[in-house]
Amino acid sequence: MMESLGRTERTGCNFKIDSVVNIEETNIDKELLSYLKEVKAVVDRLLEIDDALFVVKNCKGVLKLIDSNSLTAKKFKSLITKCCKNGFNNTPLVNSHPYVRAYHTAIENINLNELDKWDPNDQMVRLNAAVTMIRDECRSKAMRQHMRKLDNAKKVRSKGAKKLIESLKNKYARLEVVRLDLSYRSGKYIDLEEFTDALAGVKNDWEKFRHDLASEVSLPSTVGYLAKLEYGLLSGFHFHVVVIYDGSKHREDITLANMLGEHWINHVVTGGEGRYYNCNRHKTNYRYLGIGTLNHYDHAKYSALVNLVLEYMVKTDYVLASEAPGERIWFRSADKIPKNIKRLGRPRKFNL
C-alpha cells in the first residue's frame, strides 16, 4: 500500500490546512510550501517506523544504493536533492517547525549536500545515520514535551471557541457569521530584522480594531468574535477573524464583512498598507459551509463552523511559537451569557 504523505482540505476561507506553515494560497512560493509539507510528512512517517531505509546490493557485479522500495525512502532522498538545489534550508524562519529543523540539522551535520560524491556504501551509512539522528531528536523527551505543550494550547483554544459558539447558539435563534482575513501589503513583514518589534506593532493594530469592534460606534453591534494572529513565511503577519452578529438584526453577511475589511484598511492600517479578504463573498466555493446565516437547527452549518472553520483557526502557528513564545495570539470575546437563560415568547420551531 502506498504511504500517504500529507493532506489538505478546503475550509471556510481561501486558505488550506497546513500543519507546517500558514501561508496565504495566493501569495505563496508553491514549491517551498510543497517542500515543507513533504518534509513534515516524511518525518512523521519516520517516527512511525524503525526500519533502516537504505541498503546496498550487488546488482550484476555493481554495488548500488537501494532505497528498499519504500516511498518514505524515495521521498526522503528526493527532498535532500530539492533542499540542496534550492537552498530552502536557508530561508528565514523556515526551521520554525521542530520537525523541519531536525531534518535540516541532520542534512547539514552529515553533509548530505554532497551525497553523489560518495560510493554506495558511504551513501547508505550517511543516509541511515541522518534518519537515526532525526528520529532521536524528534523522539527525545524535550521534543515530546514541547509538542505536547503546543497541542495542549491548541486544545484550550478549541475548547474556548466551541464554548462561545455553543453559548451564542443557545441564546440566539439565528446567527450571522462573518469570516475574513486581515493582513498587510505583500512584503511588509518579510525578512524581519526585529521580529518582536514588528509583532508589537501588529498587535497594536489588532487592539485598535478590536476596540472599534466593541465600541459599536463606527461598526455594527456584534454578539461575539474570535481571532487568531499568524505568520506566514512569505505572507507575513495576518489575522483570521470570525465576527458574529444577531441574525434577527443583521442579514447581509457580505456587506458586513466588507465593512469590517474597509475599516481595517481605512481606519486601522492606513496609507495603503492594509489588506483584507472577504470569505463570505465566496461562500459558493466551499463544500461545507460554516459561515453566513446559521439558523438554530442548521446542524450541518454549525458542524462546519466548529469542526472546520474554527479548528483551522486554532491550529498551531510554529513560527510564532518559535519566535515569540508566550505571546498572546488568540483572541475571543468574553462569554457573558448566563448558564440558565429564561426565554420569553413562543418556543423555537424546527422548519424542515
Side-chain angles (χ1 to χ4, degrees):
M1 180 180 297
M2 184 166 290
E3 302 162 8
S4 173
L5 291 176
R7 179 174 63 90
T8 60
E9 294 181 13
R10 180 70 66 181
T11 70
C13 195
N14 72 326
F15 284 63
K16 290 185 177 180
I17 292 177
D18 178 7
S19 58
V20 181
V21 290
N22 312 305
I23 305 176
E24 191 169 0
E25 189 177 9
T26 55
N27 294 329
I28 62 172
D29 179 331
K30 292 183 178 180
E31 189 173 9
L32 173 61
L33 176 59
S34 174
Y35 167 79
L36 290 174
K37 292 168 69 176
E38 288 173 347
V39 169
K40 170 62 168 53
V42 166
V43 175
D44 282 338
R45 179 57 181 158
L46 290 180
L47 300 181
E48 295 174 357
I49 59 178
D50 293 308
D51 300 335
L53 294 189
F54 301 94
V55 297
V56 170
K57 291 185 178 180
N58 191 319
C59 301
K60 297 181 180 181
V62 179
L63 293 179
K64 289 187 177 182
L65 176 70
I66 305 298
D67 55 24
S68 70
N69 295 321
S70 163
L71 177 60
T72 303
K74 295 177 187 294
K75 181 60 69 173
F76 182 85
K77 190 177 177 183
S78 70
L79 287 174
I80 293 174
T81 301
K82 188 180 295 186
C83 174
C84 297
K85 177 183 177 181
N86 297 288
F88 287 150
N89 55 319
N90 296 320
T91 302
L93 303 178
V94 76
N95 288 323
S96 296
H97 193 289
Y99 285 6
V100 176
R101 181 169 61 251
Y103 177 87
H104 285 150
T105 298
I107 291 177
E108 181 178 349
N109 288 352
I110 302 180
N111 200 21
L112 292 183
N113 60 322
E114 298 180 351
L115 187 64
D116 293 338
K117 294 182 179 181
W118 300 309
D119 63 39
N121 280 312
D122 285 336
Q123 290 183 26
M124 176 193 67
V125 171
R126 290 176 181 272
L127 286 167
N128 286 331
V131 170
T132 298
M133 182 179 295
I134 293 169
R135 284 172 174 160
D136 289 345
E137 172 63 18
C138 295
R139 289 172 174 171
S140 68
K141 182 178 179 180
M143 178 72 82
R144 286 186 283 109
Q145 289 177 339
H146 177 66
M147 299 301 285
R148 190 180 304 117
K149 180 180 178 181
L150 296 180
D151 187 56
N152 288 338
K154 175 185 174 182
K155 289 178 180 178
V156 169
R157 292 192 294 268
S158 179
K159 182 179 180 180
K162 291 177 181 178
K163 179 182 178 183
L164 177 62
I165 297 302
E166 184 64 24
S167 297
L168 295 174
K169 180 175 180 287
N170 289 337
K171 182 175 182 180
Y172 298 97
R174 184 169 56 247
L175 296 177
E176 201 69 24
V177 180
V178 169
R179 169 79 169 85
L180 74 161
D181 296 301
L182 306 176
S183 58
Y184 300 84
R185 65 167 173 78
S186 178
K188 180 174 176 60
Y189 287 118
I190 303 301
D191 297 339
L192 295 173
E193 294 183 1
E194 297 294 338
F195 190 93
T196 303
D197 291 344
L199 175 60
V202 170
K203 291 183 72 173
N204 284 337
D205 290 339
W206 167 251
E207 286 304 316
K208 177 172 175 50
F209 183 82
R210 181 166 67 162
H211 175 269
D212 294 346
L213 195 63
S215 67
E216 303 178 4
V217 175
S218 54
L219 292 171
S221 174
T222 71
V223 296
Y225 66 82
L226 303 120
K228 170 84 175 304
L229 171 62
E230 296 185 349
Y231 185 88
L233 294 182
L234 298 174
S235 62
F237 292 108
H238 53 272
F239 293 91
H240 299 302
V241 183
V242 167
V243 181
I244 307 166
Y245 297 89
D246 180 352
S248 66
K249 298 178 181 179
H250 301 281
R251 295 299 297 270
E252 298 294 332
D253 60 309
I254 296 176
T255 301
L256 289 167
N258 277 339
M259 290 178 64
L260 294 171
E262 292 298 318
H263 186 84
W264 172 260
I265 66 176
N266 291 319
H267 300 283
V268 179
V269 185
T270 57
E273 296 287 280
R275 301 287 187 274
Y276 77 92
Y277 182 86
N278 182 345
C279 301
N280 290 63
R281 183 178 294 279
H282 303 279
K283 295 194 298 290
T284 56
N285 293 344
Y286 311 124
R287 182 178 178 184
Y288 303 106
L289 186 63
I291 56 178
T293 302
L294 275 67
N295 291 308
H296 184 79
Y297 293 106
D298 281 341
H299 301 303
K301 286 188 176 181
Y302 271 104
S303 177
L305 172 61
V306 171
N307 297 315
L308 290 177
V309 178
L310 297 186
E311 280 304 301
Y312 173 75
M313 286 180 63
V314 302
K315 70 186 183 300
T316 301
D317 184 297
Y318 291 98
V319 173
L320 289 175
S322 173
E323 298 299 316
E327 281 282 350
R328 185 183 179 191
I329 59 173
W330 172 250
F331 312 92
R332 75 178 182 91
S333 56
D335 182 3
K336 300 180 180 179
I337 301 172
K339 294 182 179 179
N340 298 315
I341 302 173
K342 184 178 180 181
R343 302 189 183 281
L344 300 177
R346 293 176 297 178
R348 297 182 184 129
K349 293 182 178 180
F350 176 65
N351 297 320
L352 295 175

